[in-house]
PDB file of all heavy atoms in Angstrom:
ATOM      1  N   GLY A1258     241.057 -28.878 244.319  1.00  0.00           N
ATOM      2  CA  GLY A1258     240.829 -29.281 242.949  1.00  0.00           C
ATOM      3  C   GLY A1258     242.052 -28.945 242.075  1.00  0.00           C
ATOM      4  O   GLY A1258     242.958 -28.306 242.506  1.00  0.00           O
ATOM      5  N   GLY A1259     242.015 -29.434 240.840  1.00  0.00           N
ATOM      6  CA  GLY A1259     243.111 -29.157 239.905  1.00  0.00           C
ATOM      7  C   GLY A1259     243.072 -30.076 238.722  1.00  0.00           C
ATOM      8  O   GLY A1259     242.076 -30.751 238.465  1.00  0.00           O
ATOM      9  N   LEU A1267     243.650 -36.956 243.884  1.00  0.00           N
ATOM     10  CA  LEU A1267     243.487 -35.634 244.446  1.00  0.00           C
ATOM     11  C   LEU A1267     242.742 -35.801 245.766  1.00  0.00           C
ATOM     12  O   LEU A1267     241.968 -36.744 245.940  1.00  0.00           O
ATOM     13  CB  LEU A1267     242.640 -34.731 243.505  1.00  0.00           C
ATOM     14  CG  LEU A1267     243.306 -34.100 242.294  1.00  0.00           C
ATOM     15  CD1 LEU A1267     242.278 -33.382 241.457  1.00  0.00           C
ATOM     16  CD2 LEU A1267     244.433 -33.176 242.666  1.00  0.00           C
ATOM     17  N   LEU A1269     240.254 -33.466 248.045  1.00  0.00           N
ATOM     18  CA  LEU A1269     239.480 -32.269 248.226  1.00  0.00           C
ATOM     19  C   LEU A1269     239.171 -32.026 249.689  1.00  0.00           C
ATOM     20  O   LEU A1269     238.992 -32.994 250.476  1.00  0.00           O
ATOM     21  CB  LEU A1269     238.158 -32.336 247.449  1.00  0.00           C
ATOM     22  CG  LEU A1269     238.232 -32.685 245.968  1.00  0.00           C
ATOM     23  CD1 LEU A1269     236.819 -32.639 245.384  1.00  0.00           C
ATOM     24  CD2 LEU A1269     239.166 -31.775 245.248  1.00  0.00           C
ATOM     25  N   MET A1332     240.316 -38.894 246.354  1.00  0.00           N
ATOM     26  CA  MET A1332     239.954 -39.437 245.016  1.00  0.00           C
ATOM     27  C   MET A1332     241.166 -40.110 244.397  1.00  0.00           C
ATOM     28  O   MET A1332     242.146 -39.448 244.116  1.00  0.00           O
ATOM     29  CB  MET A1332     239.412 -38.305 244.113  1.00  0.00           C
ATOM     30  CG  MET A1332     238.257 -37.535 244.713  1.00  0.00           C
ATOM     31  SD  MET A1332     237.541 -36.317 243.573  1.00  0.00           S
ATOM     32  CE  MET A1332     238.927 -35.230 243.325  1.00  0.00           C
ATOM     33  N   ASP A1339     235.455 -38.360 235.618  1.00  0.00           N
ATOM     34  CA  ASP A1339     235.354 -37.723 236.925  1.00  0.00           C
ATOM     35  C   ASP A1339     235.475 -36.203 236.803  1.00  0.00           C
ATOM     36  O   ASP A1339     235.298 -35.524 237.817  1.00  0.00           O
ATOM     37  CB  ASP A1339     236.416 -38.244 237.877  1.00  0.00           C
ATOM     38  CG  ASP A1339     236.227 -39.703 238.214  1.00  0.00           C
ATOM     39  OD1 ASP A1339     235.062 -40.126 238.447  1.00  0.00           O
ATOM     40  OD2 ASP A1339     237.264 -40.429 238.272  1.00  0.00           O
ATOM     41  N   THR A1340     235.794 -35.736 235.611  1.00  0.00           N
ATOM     42  CA  THR A1340     235.973 -34.247 235.417  1.00  0.00           C
ATOM     43  C   THR A1340     234.637 -33.542 235.724  1.00  0.00           C
ATOM     44  O   THR A1340     233.602 -33.887 235.139  1.00  0.00           O
ATOM     45  CB  THR A1340     236.422 -33.984 234.019  1.00  0.00           C
ATOM     46  OG1 THR A1340     237.709 -34.509 233.827  1.00  0.00           O
ATOM     47  CG2 THR A1340     236.462 -32.473 233.726  1.00  0.00           C
ATOM     48  N   ALA A1341     234.681 -32.573 236.594  1.00  0.00           N
ATOM     49  CA  ALA A1341     233.490 -31.858 237.025  1.00  0.00           C
ATOM     50  C   ALA A1341     233.868 -30.793 238.008  1.00  0.00           C
ATOM     51  O   ALA A1341     235.006 -30.780 238.521  1.00  0.00           O
ATOM     52  CB  ALA A1341     232.447 -32.807 237.631  1.00  0.00           C
ATOM     53  N   TYR A1343     233.284 -29.919 241.745  1.00  0.00           N
ATOM     54  CA  TYR A1343     232.892 -30.702 242.926  1.00  0.00           C
ATOM     55  C   TYR A1343     232.460 -29.737 244.042  1.00  0.00           C
ATOM     56  O   TYR A1343     233.113 -28.732 244.340  1.00  0.00           O
ATOM     57  CB  TYR A1343     234.055 -31.544 243.434  1.00  0.00           C
ATOM     58  CG  TYR A1343     234.237 -32.795 242.598  1.00  0.00           C
ATOM     59  CD1 TYR A1343     234.723 -32.697 241.272  1.00  0.00           C
ATOM     60  CD2 TYR A1343     233.931 -34.045 243.106  1.00  0.00           C
ATOM     61  CE1 TYR A1343     234.892 -33.828 240.509  1.00  0.00           C
ATOM     62  CE2 TYR A1343     234.109 -35.199 242.333  1.00  0.00           C
ATOM     63  CZ  TYR A1343     234.553 -35.078 241.034  1.00  0.00           C
ATOM     64  OH  TYR A1343     234.708 -36.216 240.277  1.00  0.00           O
ATOM     65  N   THR A1367     234.830 -26.607 243.474  1.00  0.00           N
ATOM     66  CA  THR A1367     236.235 -26.626 243.052  1.00  0.00           C
ATOM     67  C   THR A1367     236.321 -27.497 241.796  1.00  0.00           C
ATOM     68  O   THR A1367     235.749 -28.597 241.760  1.00  0.00           O
ATOM     69  CB  THR A1367     237.151 -27.079 244.189  1.00  0.00           C
ATOM     70  OG1 THR A1367     238.507 -26.987 243.787  1.00  0.00           O
ATOM     71  CG2 THR A1367     236.875 -28.532 244.578  1.00  0.00           C
ATOM     72  N   GLN A1368     237.077 -27.041 240.822  1.00  0.00           N
ATOM     73  CA  GLN A1368     237.154 -27.738 239.537  1.00  0.00           C
ATOM     74  C   GLN A1368     238.143 -28.882 239.619  1.00  0.00           C
ATOM     75  O   GLN A1368     239.294 -28.713 240.070  1.00  0.00           O
ATOM     76  CB  GLN A1368     237.592 -26.768 238.439  1.00  0.00           C
ATOM     77  CG  GLN A1368     237.795 -27.419 237.095  1.00  0.00           C
ATOM     78  CD  GLN A1368     236.491 -27.847 236.444  1.00  0.00           C
ATOM     79  OE1 GLN A1368     235.496 -27.102 236.393  1.00  0.00           O
ATOM     80  NE2 GLN A1368     236.458 -29.086 235.923  1.00  0.00           N
ATOM     81  N   VAL A1369     237.731 -30.040 239.145  1.00  0.00           N
ATOM     82  CA  VAL A1369     238.584 -31.172 238.983  1.00  0.00           C
ATOM     83  C   VAL A1369     238.589 -31.577 237.516  1.00  0.00           C
ATOM     84  O   VAL A1369     237.513 -31.793 236.947  1.00  0.00           O
ATOM     85  CB  VAL A1369     238.110 -32.392 239.858  1.00  0.00           C
ATOM     86  CG1 VAL A1369     238.908 -33.629 239.510  1.00  0.00           C
ATOM     87  CG2 VAL A1369     238.241 -32.056 241.334  1.00  0.00           C
ATOM     88  N   THR A1370     239.764 -31.611 236.946  1.00  0.00           N
ATOM     89  CA  THR A1370     239.898 -31.962 235.558  1.00  0.00           C
ATOM     90  C   THR A1370     240.869 -33.170 235.419  1.00  0.00           C
ATOM     91  O   THR A1370     241.993 -33.066 235.905  1.00  0.00           O
ATOM     92  CB  THR A1370     240.401 -30.806 234.696  1.00  0.00           C
ATOM     93  OG1 THR A1370     239.531 -29.690 234.861  1.00  0.00           O
ATOM     94  CG2 THR A1370     240.462 -31.175 233.210  1.00  0.00           C
ATOM     95  N   VAL A1371     240.385 -34.226 234.800  1.00  0.00           N
ATOM     96  CA  VAL A1371     241.234 -35.429 234.646  1.00  0.00           C
ATOM     97  C   VAL A1371     241.502 -35.610 233.162  1.00  0.00           C
ATOM     98  O   VAL A1371     240.599 -35.761 232.351  1.00  0.00           O
ATOM     99  CB  VAL A1371     240.519 -36.670 235.200  1.00  0.00           C
ATOM    100  CG1 VAL A1371     241.420 -37.883 235.108  1.00  0.00           C
ATOM    101  CG2 VAL A1371     240.077 -36.440 236.660  1.00  0.00           C
TER     102      VAL A1371
END
Side-chain angles (χ1 to χ4, degrees):
L1267 283 175
L1269 306 184
M1332 305 186 296
D1339 294 319
T1340 295
Y1343 282 71
T1367 185
Q1368 176 71 48
V1369 171
T1370 303
V1371 184

